[in-house]
Amino acid sequence: MTTTNRAARAGLAAAAAVAALSLALAACGTSPPSPDDPANPGSSAPPTTTEPNTPAEVYPTGTPGTPRGSSPAHFDQHDADGVARATLAVMYASDTRIDTGPHDAIVRATRYMTTKYSAELKGAPPHAAPGARWQQWTDHHAYTTATVTAADDAGRPADTPTAAYRQYTVSAVAHGDDGYTNTQQVGTAFVELTRATAGDVWRVAAVQIR
């Protein structure tokens, strides 16, 4: 994979990860935008006027704590596969007791990411409530656990001492206190990992969900 492609992937990664989590895990039952909705790019309605230099309202984050079911087992951080799997497992492990939405789980996973990618994700907080699916989980006091399964294909770039690429299918299951369960097929995760030298630990530099 060329340097240009890696840069493009990293540039899109923050938005892709946040959007994919919100859509796959929380935004269920929402309606498509109306043709007259100013938020719809194809709307015929006149654009709304916003005050200059007014930051968009950020949806509140959760409270610190350890989510149920999201502590990956001990793994070798010099192993690219182990780091990639742990990152995805934490990204898709939300807990409605302490989280206000899926983005809180993404932030927890940044401990396995590069400084640059971590800053991108932390700097892209949600600006709206996570949706009906999340509310349903909240009603059941639910938490989620992820299943991460290797899905590499023959076209995957070969590892180098400082770069690695992995591909997985991801699903998440919500578990409620009352026995409620709900399974979501998240999609295929493409993970890019990097490290400065062959002796360093691996860190995730980008995640794309398709």
Side-chain angles (χ1 to χ4, degrees):
M1 179 172 291
T2 65
T3 301
T4 300
N5 287 341
R6 288 198 298 269
R9 175 180 291 183
L12 294 173
V18 175
L21 280 167
S22 298
L23 290 173
L25 295 182
C28 179
T30 57
S31 301
S34 165
D36 295 324
D37 184 353
N40 179 9
S43 172
S44 59
T48 57
T49 301
T50 58
E51 292 294 329
N53 302 321
T54 301
E57 182 178 354
V58 175
Y59 192 72
T61 58
T63 58
T66 301
R68 295 167 288 172
S70 74
S71 298
H74 293 293
F75 62 94
D76 182 4
Q77 296 195 39
H78 293 86
D79 173 40
D81 186 62
V83 174
R85 287 177 178 272
T87 301
L88 292 171
V90 175
M91 286 179 72
Y92 288 92
S94 296
D95 189 337
T96 60
R97 286 183 175 177
I98 60 174
D99 299 336
T100 58
H103 187 260
D104 293 322
I106 296 176
V107 171
R108 282 193 292 270
T110 59
R111 64 181 181 266
Y112 302 125
M113 299 175 184
T114 64
T115 300
K116 180 177 182 294
Y117 189 43
S118 173
E120 289 176 356
L121 294 181
K122 290 177 179 178
H127 296 281
R133 177 74 66 181
W134 183 268
Q135 183 58 54
Q136 185 179 45
W137 291 350
T138 300
D139 292 342
H140 292 281
H141 307 287
Y143 66 95
T144 62
T145 56
T147 298
V148 180
T149 305
D152 290 327
D153 58 34
R156 190 190 84 187
D159 290 354
T160 73
T162 58
Y165 301 88
R166 296 293 185 268
Q167 182 175 326
Y168 306 91
T169 56
V170 182
S171 62
V173 180
H175 312 268
D177 285 349
D178 54 2
Y180 163 90
T181 61
N182 177 262
T183 301
Q184 297 288 305
Q185 299 301 321
V186 176
T188 301
F190 296 83
V191 184
E192 178 183 351
L193 302 103
T194 187
R195 58 184 178 180
T197 70
D200 292 334
V201 297
W202 288 102
R203 287 294 177 257
V204 170
V207 177
Q208 285 192 358
I209 307 295
R210 300 177 185 170

